[in-house]
Amino acid sequence: MKEKKEAYLDRLGRSPALRDGAVKTLELSCECTGKQKALRDAAVCVFAPVLHSFVLWLLREAMDAGTERLYFLPEGGWHMYAAAKRYAEYYSLPVECRYLYVSDYSLRMPLYHKDMEEALRYITLRGAEATLETVLKSASLSERQIRRLEQLDENFAMPFPMKMRIPGTLTESLRKKLSENKDFLEMVRENSEKAYADLEIYLRQEGIMDEIPMAVVCGGQEGSVQGLLERIRRTGGGRKPLDGYYFGLYEWPAGADRKRYHTYFFSPQRKPLRKVFFNHCLFGGIYSAPYGMAMTYRESGGKWVPILKNAEKGQRKRAEILGQYFREYQEELLRGTALQGEGGAGTGPDDFCRLCAAAGWREADMLTEKLLFLFTGFPTGKEASVFGSMVYPEDRQGERMAAKMTERELKDNHLARHLFRDGREGEAVRKSAWYEGSAVLYGNPKKRRSHLASYHRYQYFLYRKERKCRGYRGRGR
């Protein structure tokens, strides 16, 4: 049986420059075995080529559009920022790269007081694993405030015990109960107003209000952070529109100017099959920063700095290890391209364009598709163990990527079970951020192929159905 690393390198053959970078990085790396080898091989043969393919595309697109500044966001942007900054400095590109310490929560929570109805909708839509405790923490309440609520209203938690998983059928009931509690609403409003003042100072300090062509860069999902920053910019007097570059985008925010959302791998109306093998939770964990998500902001030493959630165990070390592999890979790319030139290393935009051409940047998304199909969709046991133990950086509930699941829970995510719910409508279905990892780690080995095939069919069915329901028309699978 062919080693997984060799299968990755075969797929990299579409781009000799990217493949050579991987081969040379592997040759220079230390010998390792077991899980360390699985991490190294995936980092060098999958994540590094995928990362740099996107960053080359991003910088070319930004330069062509006249974008002067790029803000990289934490959702997958930490290593993107490091790579883009290195390219921009090495080739003297006319694009400034900055990193912005924000999160969906740190931007959305300060806006709660401006629209409490919208805030309640967001607070109570916390997914299948939500409990009353996680909902209240998402509402910005501290432990002390939660205890205070219980003291003020002894029936506050009824019929939702703090640790009980809340079925989706009871979401509306919970939202109504919270909307009728004046003490709860006042606590949320007070916390939100204080957080908004701190956030605005931080964003001004980082230049978000500047009137120059700028854009945010993000792994993807729904583009909500771009919309939130745009909203805050307008409130602060900003007039120039904010663009966004995304690895992949599932949905456009309501009322958004779609021309301002630029996608690399898939968009809401294009490439539904790619969405099946792109896992935004896994992507965010792999390319995440070595710290937890931004929560709020405070003044320190004359500057406003983010208050960061503690990183999950192992996140910092893993980010440093992956970062080292990504840097080594990038240097091999730069060195390889320089050797092909006449007279050594190039340091201008024209030389950067030569690197992009050598890497096949216009068709790199197809190579990315093949790599992610193999890694995300069909992981080995060691890959599932190494990367399935990660926690999504913006998951406030601390759930592992590959959640432990029973055979029944795995089957509940099959296409047939969703088409025919066997009379169990309303029952919460156990989910996993990386279903494939869960199936490999906890499923019956004899049924593994069946689990993966049925889950992939279900995901593809959902994305096709969603595209049809929204009236999107696009070519491609």
Side-chain angles (χ1 to χ4, degrees), residues 174-190:
L174 173 61
R175 186 180 302 141
K176 185 174 185 297
K177 185 175 180 62
L178 294 176
S179 69
E180 294 171 349
N181 191 294
K182 295 181 180 179
D183 296 311
F184 167 78
L185 296 178
E186 184 56 34
M187 289 179 185
V188 172
R189 185 175 289 106
E190 181 181 329

Side-chain angles (χ1 to χ4, degrees), residues 418-430:
H418 282 269
L419 293 177
F420 310 103
R421 288 292 294 148
D422 300 331
R424 292 185 284 130
E425 292 82 357
E427 181 180 332
V429 175
R430 171 76 162 156

Side-chain angles (χ1 to χ4, degrees), residues 114-138:
K114 294 184 177 292
D115 189 336
M116 291 300 293
E117 185 176 342
E118 178 186 342
L120 284 171
R121 283 198 299 271
Y122 172 75
I123 290 166
T124 52
L125 291 177
R126 305 305 299 168
E129 303 301 313
T131 64
L132 179 61
E133 182 179 47
T134 59
V135 166
L136 294 180
K137 288 182 178 180
S138 295

Side-chain angles (χ1 to χ4, degrees), residues 34-179:
K35 292 182 179 181
Q36 289 183 332
K37 184 177 184 298
L39 187 149
R40 183 204 64 181
D41 291 351
V44 174
C45 301
V46 180
F47 310 143
V50 167
L51 168 69
H52 288 281
S53 296
F54 171 70
V55 171
L56 294 177
W57 170 86
L58 163 70
L59 292 173
R60 282 295 302 262
E61 290 287 313
M63 286 166 44
D64 290 346
T67 303
E68 296 181 17
R69 184 183 297 163
L70 294 173
Y71 284 100
F72 290 80
L73 305 179
E75 190 178 327
W78 178 260
H79 295 295
M80 294 177 189
Y81 164 68
K85 192 170 187 295
R86 172 66 172 139
Y87 285 130
E89 292 174 350
Y90 186 83
Y91 290 110
S92 302
L93 303 181
V95 180
E96 180 187 7
C97 299
R98 295 189 181 185
Y99 188 78
L100 199 62
Y101 289 88
V102 295
S103 67
D104 190 70
Y105 176 80
S106 76
L107 293 175
R108 200 178 289 272
M109 188 271 280
L111 295 171
Y112 284 169
H113 69 282
K114 294 184 177 292
D115 189 336
M116 291 300 293
E117 185 176 342
E118 178 186 342
L120 284 171
R121 283 198 299 271
Y122 172 75
I123 290 166
T124 52
L125 291 177
R126 305 305 299 168
E129 303 301 313
T131 64
L132 179 61
E133 182 179 47
T134 59
V135 166
L136 294 180
K137 288 182 178 180
S138 295
S140 78
L141 269 60
S142 64
E143 296 286 353
R144 180 183 60 80
Q145 288 176 316
I146 292 175
R147 289 196 299 271
R148 177 63 175 158
L149 269 181
E150 293 178 307
Q151 292 171 358
L152 292 171
D153 182 358
E154 62 181 13
N155 294 318
F156 175 74
M158 297 298 291
F160 308 102
M162 283 290 176
K163 303 291 184 180
M164 185 190 85
R165 200 165 39 166
I166 302 174
T169 52
L170 297 180
T171 297
E172 188 61 38
S173 175
L174 173 61
R175 186 180 302 141
K176 185 174 185 297
K177 185 175 180 62
L178 294 176
S179 69

